[in-house]
Amino acid sequence: MWYDDVAKEFVVQGWKAEPELKAECLSTGPIPDNEAVVRLPARMIDILKEACSVAAEDGASVR
């Protein structure tokens, strides 16, 4: 995972979610064709936190 400071976006790679998880995610609305449901391992938490900090310092809105 990394933060693309030019596009102001997070870029992540993970495992494709199984059909059951994807169906659960669909309960909140459709998943656009250009998006996917992925699983990220817990070991990435520190990387996610760091990327969020970098993005916040760069002025990105991070929730």
Side-chain angles (χ1 to χ4, degrees), residues 13-56:
Q13 179 179 344
W15 298 281
K16 287 184 179 181
E18 65 277 0
E20 297 82 10
L21 179 57
K22 187 174 180 179
E24 186 177 329
C25 291
L26 285 169
S27 69
T28 62
I31 300 169
D33 290 339
N34 63 335
E35 293 183 8
V37 177
V38 297
R39 288 189 171 274
L40 301 176
R43 68 178 183 270
M44 290 187 70
I45 293 298
D46 289 337
I47 296 168
L48 290 167
K49 287 179 183 177
E50 181 180 347
C52 287
S53 293
V54 169

